[in-house]
Amino acid sequence: MVRFPVRYFVGTFTGLLTLASLTACLSINRDSAIAQPTSPETSSPSPSSTMTPSTINPQLVAADNQFGFKLFSQLMQQDGEQNLMMSPTSVAIALSMLYNGANGETQQQIASTLELQGLSLEEVNQSNADLETLLEHADPQVKLAIANSLWGNQEVAFKPDFIQRIQTFYVAEVETLDFKDPAVVNRINDWVNRNTEGKIPIILNEVRPDDILFLINAVYFKGEWQQAFDEANTSDRPFTLLDGSSKPHPLMSQTGSYLYQENDQFQAVSLPYGNGRLSMYVVLPQTDVPLPQFYEEFLSASNWDTVMTGFTRRNGTVELPRFRYEYATRLNDALQALGMPLVFDPNAADLTGLTDQDSYVNEVHHKTFIEVNEEGTEAAAVTSVGIRATSAQVPREPFMMTVDRPFFCAIRDNESGVILFMGSVVNPE
């Protein structure tokens, strides 16, 4: 079986916005059953240490965003009446590592789900390596880190090519452990806790002797608003919930010049962090547009790309809720609905690029935490894969945008266009 737990994102609006990824350092037990990588002379090319936006493969960015909106739509059908936050980047990177161990129709289904058609395996890996390097150096005023790890059962022999690709392109920390040892689960969770700055302390509840591998990605983000909200302007205001009732909730307020747009469907504003390379986009449906209708018509990568071209610089006032919440879900059903059922089937999964032992994906979990306040945003996400043996028109006057009802938000790298986090806030807490 394969168990694929996914860590959720942590977001905090606090004048400081940081996205931190876990930094990978290699640790291999030479006596373990994981084969050692081949020599540098025979290995695949390592990722470049200096990335610029022009070096990023636009096909991968488009694929990640398309996959992200598809997955978000599935989760909205499942959890649309609660606050939701996910990291398309984290899930895509974790599944890309799994993709390296799949063959045949199983690999084809993963590629289709991740929108990787037209990209070779090497292109996928190199593009992910380039993107991670770019994101981690996006803005010196924003902390953005991505880390990967592989935790293998010492009794299982893994394919050397698979291990080498995970090390070379994903800079993954690799360890083999005795999965019969009850302390293993704490060791893995400690790694996750460190690499999410304590925002996600637990991703695994147990490690079983028949688990053979866990692939984990972690993303951490922390950054300050380019223009902080003045706490003196924060006051309790009515926030309308999905059932039409309202509750008092702190709304922050500021006036300035923003990238903004408005039509008969929504209002949208860009709130930049640091030097402006990364921004939070807040999209508020108009009062006469039901939230389910808005998400059905709005949530697609093509619509998002259109929205991104519609912003103009405008003066106005933004009133935004201060909020903090956690979200957790199991992604098995959503991923199967998106077109990759074979990898979850113990009788049909083909993960022979990973090990000769029969295996399949048992579970995919995702956890997030987000906090938004006057200073900025802090966010973290972890995705873990565990493998178990088989058994309109813009007005010219200053605008007013009062976010006092359910809304959509996303954190985006404005150079590459990749979406790091996306969420739906229906009941700020």
Side-chain angles (χ1 to χ4, degrees):
M1 284 181 218
V2 177
R3 178 174 295 178
F4 199 143
V6 179
R7 282 290 185 180
Y8 290 80
F9 308 94
V10 179
T12 304
F13 283 171
T14 62
L16 173 64
L17 175 62
T18 306
L19 174 61
S21 295
L22 304 182
T23 303
C25 50
L26 177 61
S27 174
I28 298 182
N29 181 345
R30 294 188 177 275
D31 297 326
S32 74
I34 288 187
Q36 299 301 304
T38 55
S39 64
E41 289 79 6
T42 60
S43 65
S44 301
S46 60
S48 171
S49 60
T50 303
M51 292 296 127
T52 63
S54 61
T55 66
I56 301 305
N57 189 334
Q59 285 182 267
L60 182 77
V61 173
D64 284 356
N65 288 349
Q66 289 168 8
F67 165 68
F69 278 108
K70 289 192 308 181
L71 181 58
F72 191 83
S73 295
Q74 286 292 323
L75 295 180
M76 284 300 302
Q77 296 177 30
Q78 172 183 309
D79 296 326
E81 295 187 357
Q82 63 176 294
N83 296 327
L84 190 157
M85 179 63 62
M86 58 160 284
S87 170
T89 300
S90 178
V91 180
I93 289 174
L95 290 178
S96 292
M97 290 193 290
L98 179 66
Y99 180 59
N100 277 266
N103 282 317
E105 190 176 355
T106 299
Q107 187 184 57
Q108 294 171 17
Q109 287 188 355
I110 297 174
S112 178
T113 299
L114 293 178
E115 301 287 345
L116 299 177
Q117 301 93 329
L119 291 170
S120 68
L121 179 60
E122 183 174 352
E123 287 174 327
V124 170
N125 289 336
Q126 186 64 62
S127 298
N128 273 316
D130 294 346
L131 182 62
E132 288 189 34
T133 302
L134 174 74
L135 291 174
E136 291 189 321
H137 298 86
D139 184 346
Q141 300 182 52
V142 171
K143 184 177 182 182
L144 173 55
I146 301 170
N148 300 302
S149 62
L150 183 156
W151 309 83
N153 189 324
Q154 65 184 17
E155 296 181 359
V156 177
F158 297 95
K159 299 292 182 69
D161 288 349
F162 169 75
I163 298 300
Q164 182 173 344
R165 287 194 298 269
I166 299 305
Q167 292 172 342
T168 299
F169 294 102
Y170 298 90
V171 199
E173 177 178 349
V174 176
E175 281 201 51
T176 55
L177 303 169
D178 181 2
F179 278 19
K180 300 186 189 72
D181 185 351
V184 167
V185 66
N186 291 332
R187 184 163 181 177
I188 296 174
N189 284 332
D190 286 346
W191 183 92
V192 168
N193 186 55
R194 289 195 313 272
N195 286 286
T196 59
E197 301 285 334
K199 300 303 181 183
I200 300 173
I202 295 175
I203 190 59
L204 297 177
N205 292 319
E206 66 171 350
V207 172
R208 292 171 37 165
D210 56 346
D211 290 328
I212 64 174
L213 180 68
F214 292 93
L215 294 168
I216 300 179
N217 167 269
V219 178
Y220 177 81
F221 174 94
K222 189 176 183 181
E224 295 180 348
W225 298 121
Q226 196 172 79
Q227 177 183 345
F229 288 82
D230 187 343
E231 290 189 32
N233 295 329
T234 300
S235 61
D236 282 351
R237 304 275 297 280
F239 187 95
T240 301
L241 304 175
L242 288 175
D243 62 4
S245 64
S246 64
K247 69 171 189 177
H249 189 82
L251 257 64
M252 309 177 295
S253 179
Q254 64 174 229
T255 298
S257 176
Y258 308 90
L259 290 176
Y260 173 80
Q261 64 176 298
E262 179 179 354
N263 56 38
D264 58 1
Q265 293 291 310
F266 60 83
Q267 291 176 276
V269 68
S270 171
L271 301 174
Y273 302 102
N275 65 17
R277 168 68 183 270
L278 297 143
S279 296
M280 170 171 280
Y281 289 84
V282 178
V283 184
L284 177 69
Q286 299 288 10
T287 54
D288 59 347
V289 178
L291 193 68
Q293 175 188 329
F294 171 73
Y295 280 133
E296 182 178 352
E297 296 177 355
F298 174 75
L299 280 185
S300 72
S302 59
N303 286 346
W304 178 259
D305 289 342
T306 300
V307 170
M308 289 298 101
T309 65
F311 286 94
T312 58
R313 177 74 50 186
R314 302 302 302 275
N315 292 325
T317 298
V318 176
E319 296 180 336
L320 181 70
R322 192 168 60 197
F323 61 89
R324 171 183 174 135
Y325 65 84
E326 298 178 10
Y327 173 73
T329 191
R330 186 171 180 263
L331 295 180
N332 294 35
D333 292 343
L335 292 173
Q336 291 182 71
L338 292 178
M340 49 179 285
L342 282 181
V343 76
F344 296 98
D345 187 342
N347 298 313
D350 185 350
L351 296 176
T352 52
L354 187 155
T355 176
D356 288 330
Q357 182 163 348
D358 291 340
S359 57
Y360 69 99
V361 173
N362 181 47
E363 286 188 334
V364 178
H365 295 288
H366 195 62
K367 283 187 177 180
T368 58
F369 166 87
I370 183 165
E371 182 178 352
V372 175
N373 61 27
E374 286 82 357
E375 296 176 358
T377 301
E378 183 180 11
V382 177
T383 299
S384 166
V385 179
I387 300 168
R388 184 175 298 165
T390 298
S391 79
Q393 237 186 20
V394 181
R396 296 183 178 275
E397 67 275 4
F399 69 86
M400 169 62 75
M401 183 172 174
T402 301
V403 186
D404 59 358
R405 54 191 182 276
F407 62 96
F408 174 82
C409 61
I411 298 175
R412 175 181 185 262
D413 170 37
N414 294 318
E415 291 288 347
S416 67
V418 71
I419 300 170
L420 300 167
F421 300 90
M422 61 173 68
S424 176
V425 182
V426 299
N427 185 5
E429 300 171 0

